[in-house]
Amino acid sequence: LAFNGGTLYQCDIVNVIVIFGENKTLGTGRKNYSVDLNYVNHQNRIKGNMDRLSSLEALAGKISPLSKEPDPDSIKMFVGQVPRSMDETELIRMFQVYGPVYQLNVLRDKTSGVSRGCCFVTFYKRKDALEAQNALHNMKILPGMHHPIQMKPADTENRN
């Protein structure tokens, strides 16, 4: 159901988007998630749409965000041989194949803001980081690079 200018009308749900993130604009550092529903107005399909909406409401009650923190045994990984043209979004997309990413930081030049061709990535689960390392380290050459990805635990991980 959607409410538009005082008129209650029926609609088809055509897309469900679940967004996980951190509220950086307010500086609270709190993790949050939201569910957006995209819809198309079809007043002649009231019964079917009510059933869909009931199903989505039931699903929404089961959706929960990932843990606020990664597992205690998670590993922060250093990743080298990354094209300077790859941004955070592209890198997260590449790493998410192996599991949910908790944090990704591209190292950038302080003056120009240009990528230095490497990043740090932390997965929620240790096994996902190790799976990514096994699949990528010395195995995959990214477009525009001459050498394969170098992926290993960050130096801070070796100090513990």
Side-chain angles (χ1 to χ4, degrees):
L1 291 174
F3 190 76
N4 183 12
T7 304
L8 191 62
Y9 62 92
Q10 191 62 39
C11 59
D12 278 338
I13 306 297
V14 293
N15 207 1
V16 178
I17 303 167
V18 181
I19 302 168
F20 296 93
E22 180 174 337
N23 190 343
K24 293 183 181 179
T25 56
L26 298 177
T28 61
R30 288 187 293 162
K31 306 289 182 191
N32 57 47
Y33 72 100
S34 64
V35 178
D36 289 339
L37 302 177
N38 295 331
Y39 57 87
V40 176
N41 183 8
H42 291 286
Q43 294 181 5
N44 60 349
R45 295 184 175 176
I46 294 173
K47 172 77 171 96
N49 291 339
M50 290 300 288
D51 292 343
R52 283 192 195 119
L53 189 56
S54 295
S55 297
L56 284 172
E57 287 173 345
L59 174 64
K62 296 178 184 175
I63 296 173
S64 62
L66 292 169
S67 168
K68 292 181 181 181
E69 298 295 323
D71 288 349
D73 65 344
S74 68
I75 309 170
K76 182 177 188 176
M77 303 293 277
F78 170 81
V79 183
Q81 296 299 322
V82 173
R84 297 186 196 295
S85 61
M86 283 186 87
D87 63 15
E88 287 83 349
T89 304
E90 293 171 294
L91 288 166
I92 287 173
R93 193 174 301 131
M94 178 180 78
F95 289 122
Q96 281 181 334
V97 169
Y98 306 100
V101 173
Y102 169 69
Q103 187 175 52
L104 183 131
N105 295 359
V106 173
L107 285 110
R108 297 186 179 279
D109 179 86
K110 290 181 182 178
T111 308
S112 66
V114 174
S115 168
R116 291 186 171 183
C118 53
C119 68
F120 290 101
V121 62
T122 305
F123 290 85
Y124 277 91
K125 299 190 176 294
R126 179 184 188 89
K127 73 172 189 64
D128 296 338
L130 296 174
E131 183 181 333
Q133 183 183 28
N134 288 334
L136 300 173
H137 180 72
N138 280 333
M139 302 296 276
K140 181 173 180 143
I141 299 175
L142 293 173
M145 303 304 289
H146 300 289
H147 300 286
I149 289 175
Q150 299 296 300
M151 187 169 182
K152 61 182 185 172
D155 288 340
T156 58
E157 295 298 315
N158 296 331
R159 294 183 188 145
N160 293 335

